[in-house]
Amino acid sequence: MRLPRLHLAIKIWLALFLSTTVVVIGMIAWMRYSFDRDFKGHINRVAKEQVEYLAPKLQQLYATDGDFSRLTDNPRQWNRLERGSWLKAFGIAQDNDNEDQSSQFRRNRDDKPHRRPHFKNRPIRTPTNLVLANELKEPLIGIVTPDNPVLNWRPLNVDGELVGYLGFSLHHHKSSQRELKFLKKQSNNFLLFGIIALVVSGAFALPIAALLVKPIKRLQSATENLSQGNFQTRVEVSGHDELAQLGQHFNHLAKTLEDNQKQRRRWVADISHELRTPVTFIKGQIESFVDGIRPADTKNLLALEKQINQLNTLINDLYQLSLSELGALNYKKKTQLIHPIIESITLGVEAAYREKALELNTTISLPENYQLLVDSDRLEQLLLNLLTNSLRYTDAPGLVTLTCSHENDNLKIVIEDTKPGVAEQDLPQLFDTLYRSESSRNRDYGGAGIGLAICKNIINAHHGSIGAELSKLGGLKITCLIPSKSQSHG
C-alpha cells in the first residue's frame, strides 16, 4: 500500500507535534509516578507522627483508668483524639490548640465531645485508619481488614508493663478507596493538562511550519522559473541561516546562467558576423569574376586568397578555442628550460615587428638554467598570441616590451605596449571570446577576439592567472603568473 504524499509543511508540523506529544506523555508519566510516590510517602509520615503523638496520651489514659474503656465506650472521644493527631501531623494545630489533656479524659462517657468553633460543622476525615488493641493484639477500636491491614504495631507500656498496641499501616502497594479516588482525580487532571498542551502545541506548530516552509516555496517557484529559461529570476534573501545561504547561492547561480546566456547570444552573433564578412567578400569576388565585371587576374585572386586565409584562421582559432574550453587540448607537461622557449618566440616575431616599425624589447630576469613544469607548445602559443595581439593593435612607430621574471614562486610574464590604449571599463572583458574593445576595428589587423581567450584557457590549465591593466607606456599591460612549485635550478 502506497502512503499518501505529504507536503513539507505537514511533515514539519507532524515532527513538531509528535515530538511535543512524546515530551508531554513522558512528563505526565513522570508527574504521576512522582506524585503517587510522594503522596504515599507523605501518608506514611503522617501515620507515624500520629502514632508518636497518640502513644503518650493513650499510655497516660491507661495509667489513670487502668484500661481503655473510656475510649471504647465513647467512640467520639477516640475520634477527637485521632482527629487531633491528624491535625498535629499536618501542622494545622499545635498542642495548645487542642483541649487540655486532663480535661479530655475527665469527661464522662455520656458527655458530648467539645468542638472548637473553627471546626464546627466541618467534619474532618483522617486519611489513616488507626487500630487500638490489647496486649494480645486483639482490636479494641478499629477493624483489621484487607483494605486496612495493620503492618506495624507500636507497643504501649505503663510502668514497664505492656498494656496494649497502637497499630497503623505503612502504604506500599495497596491504597484505600479514598486514596485511589484522589489519585484518579489527579491523574485525570494530568491527562487534561496533557490534552490542552497537545492542542496548544498543535495550534502553534502549524503556523511555525508554514513560516519555515515559506522561503522553501519561494525557492521552489523560482527554480521552476529558472528551469523554464527565465534567468532573470531572483529570490528575496533575509537572515543568515542555511535557507538564506541557499537563497544567496540560488541568486548567484541565476546570475551566472543569465551571464552565460548573454555571452552565448553575443558569441553566436559575433561568430555569424565574423564569418559573414569574408564569405560575403569571397562571394562578391566570385560573382564579379563570373559576370565579367572584374578580371580573374593575380591582384584580385590574391585579395580573394587573403580573405580565404582569414576565414581559415578564424575557423582554426574557433577550433582551438573550443578544445581549450573543453579541456581537450593535449597538455604534455614536463620540466622545461624557459630561456630557449622565450628566445625562440621573440626571434620568430622580430621580422614582423620590424616590418611594422615596432620595437620589441625583451628582458629575461631568470637564470639560464631556470626550469618549469609546463607544456612547451602551449607556452609558445601563449607568448605568440600575446605578442601577436600587441603587434596587431599597436600604432607605428611604437614599443612593445616583454619581461620575464621569477616572483613569489611564480613565473611572471609581462607584456606592455604603447598606444592606442583600451577603455578601463573594457579591461575585465578582454579575455572573453570574440570580444574586442572596438567592434568597428578594421579586420585587416586580423584579430577576431579569440587569441586572448585561448591565452586565458592555457593559463588556467597551468593553474595560473592572467590579467590586463592600463600601461604606463600608453597602451595595454598584460600580466601572466604561472606557479613554479615544480621549478628547479638545474
Side-chain angles (χ1 to χ4, degrees), residues 8-9 12 209-223 235 243 246:
L8 181 60
I12 295 177
L211 184 64
L212 292 175
V213 171
K214 188 176 180 180
I216 299 178
K217 286 186 175 180
R218 288 201 300 264
L219 279 172
Q220 181 185 18
S221 177
T223 303
V235 295
L243 287 176
L246 181 60

Side-chain angles (χ1 to χ4, degrees), residues 294-409:
R294 289 188 178 185
D297 54 15
T298 303
K299 179 181 177 182
N300 290 329
L301 290 176
L302 287 175
L304 186 62
E305 182 187 25
K306 180 179 179 181
Q307 293 296 324
I308 293 174
N309 289 336
Q310 287 186 0
L311 182 60
N312 184 62
T313 301
L314 176 60
I315 293 173
N316 288 334
D317 287 346
L318 288 174
Y319 178 69
Q320 291 293 324
L321 177 64
S322 64
L323 290 180
S324 64
E325 288 185 342
L326 293 174
L329 282 177
N330 188 16
Y331 285 91
K332 299 177 180 179
K333 296 180 182 179
K334 61 181 180 178
T335 304
Q336 306 277 355
L337 288 171
I338 301 302
H339 263 274
I341 297 175
I342 299 173
E343 292 173 352
S344 173
I345 295 300
T346 55
L347 288 175
V349 298
E350 277 185 356
Y353 269 74
R354 284 195 302 268
E355 182 179 349
K356 195 179 175 181
L358 296 178
E359 181 182 355
L360 176 60
N361 289 341
T362 303
T363 303
I364 305 177
S365 301
L366 296 171
E368 288 289 338
N369 58 351
Y370 183 85
Q371 297 181 352
L372 190 65
L373 183 64
V374 293
D375 184 321
S376 59
D377 292 337
R378 301 309 165 196
L379 183 58
E380 288 179 357
Q381 185 180 9
L382 170 70
L383 293 171
L384 183 60
N385 285 356
L386 293 176
L387 291 173
T388 301
N389 183 75
S390 294
L391 175 66
R392 286 171 179 169
Y393 298 114
T394 302
D395 292 341
L399 172 66
V400 177
T401 64
L402 169 62
T403 304
C404 299
S405 61
H406 178 73
E407 182 178 303
N408 297 327
D409 290 331

Side-chain angles (χ1 to χ4, degrees), residues 107-125:
R107 285 203 176 87
N108 295 325
R109 294 183 181 91
D110 297 331
D111 288 345
K112 294 181 179 180
H114 174 71
R115 292 181 179 273
R116 292 183 63 81
H118 59 285
F119 291 121
K120 187 176 182 180
N121 299 325
R122 291 173 58 191
I124 298 177
R125 297 182 178 273

